[in-house]
Amino acid sequence: MNAGTNGPLARATVAAFVAQAERDLREGRTGPAYYEQMMELRDTARRGFAAVLGVEPGRMALVESTTRGCATVLAGFGLSAEDEVITTDQEHFGLTGALYATGARVVIVEAEEDELLRAITPRTRLIATSHVLWTTGRRLDLHRVKRESGLPVLVDGAQSAGAISVDVGDLDFYTV
């Protein structure tokens, strides 16, 4: 699996970077044509990601990383010390760091669907976990967790989308 920051870039990615840098060298990075091209690229990216995730493009927000996506979602919850969020003992710091920054009580359980569900209390506002665990490659059934908990679910999908078939369906937040 590509581990995000540490994995090698695809040749097509490098070629696109080089082509854009050469264009920027020749023409600069400003002006109506540049901004129009960037808006078109953004729309293309949004449609492409939406197709991979099985959602409408209008449900997509583009940010620079999965970690930023997790932090953006959590910032919108307005969590406090009165709240708790459930996560697993197999999460990447890109998610856990953002969870602790909310000030909510972070409840850490074994990376099992039953353990996530068993940990729910009246204070629980959110379940936040990976779809595919970066430590073992195990895939969690988060649709079951959503269905049985009724709680919002934030998914760190960094190790899933693009590597396995993903259907976001009723999951609330799927970051990649």
Side-chain angles (χ1 to χ4, degrees), residues 5-90:
T5 303
N6 301 322
L9 293 174
R11 286 185 179 94
T13 302
V14 173
F17 283 161
V18 170
Q20 185 63 46
E22 288 175 350
R23 182 253 174 241
D24 293 349
L25 175 65
R26 285 189 314 277
E27 301 173 31
R29 295 175 291 157
T30 188
Y34 179 82
Y35 289 109
E36 185 176 305
Q37 178 190 22
M38 291 299 112
M39 296 303 282
E40 288 174 13
L41 287 171
R42 187 171 76 175
D43 288 342
T44 299
R46 180 176 276 118
R47 286 191 308 274
F49 281 123
V52 168
L53 297 173
V55 299
E56 292 298 317
R59 290 185 59 197
M60 299 291 304
L62 299 178
V63 296
E64 66 271 22
S65 68
T66 304
T67 298
R68 176 72 70 188
C70 291
T72 300
V73 168
L74 289 166
F77 267 86
L79 297 169
S80 72
E82 308 304 313
D83 303 311
E84 63 185 26
V85 178
I86 301 170
T87 194
T88 79
D89 60 356
Q90 301 295 308

Side-chain angles (χ1 to χ4, degrees), residues 1-4 49 52-53 66 129-134 137-140 142-143 154-168 171 173-176:
M1 293 182 130
N2 180 345
F49 281 123
V52 168
L53 297 173
T66 304
T129 185
S130 297
H131 185 178
V132 174
L133 303 174
W134 73 289
R138 181 173 184 272
R139 185 185 321 190
L140 296 176
L142 298 181
H143 288 286
L154 166 60
V155 181
D156 177 338
Q159 304 304 324
S160 55
I164 63 169
S165 179
V166 172
D167 178 15
V168 171
L171 299 173
F173 308 98
Y174 201 104
T175 62
V176 296

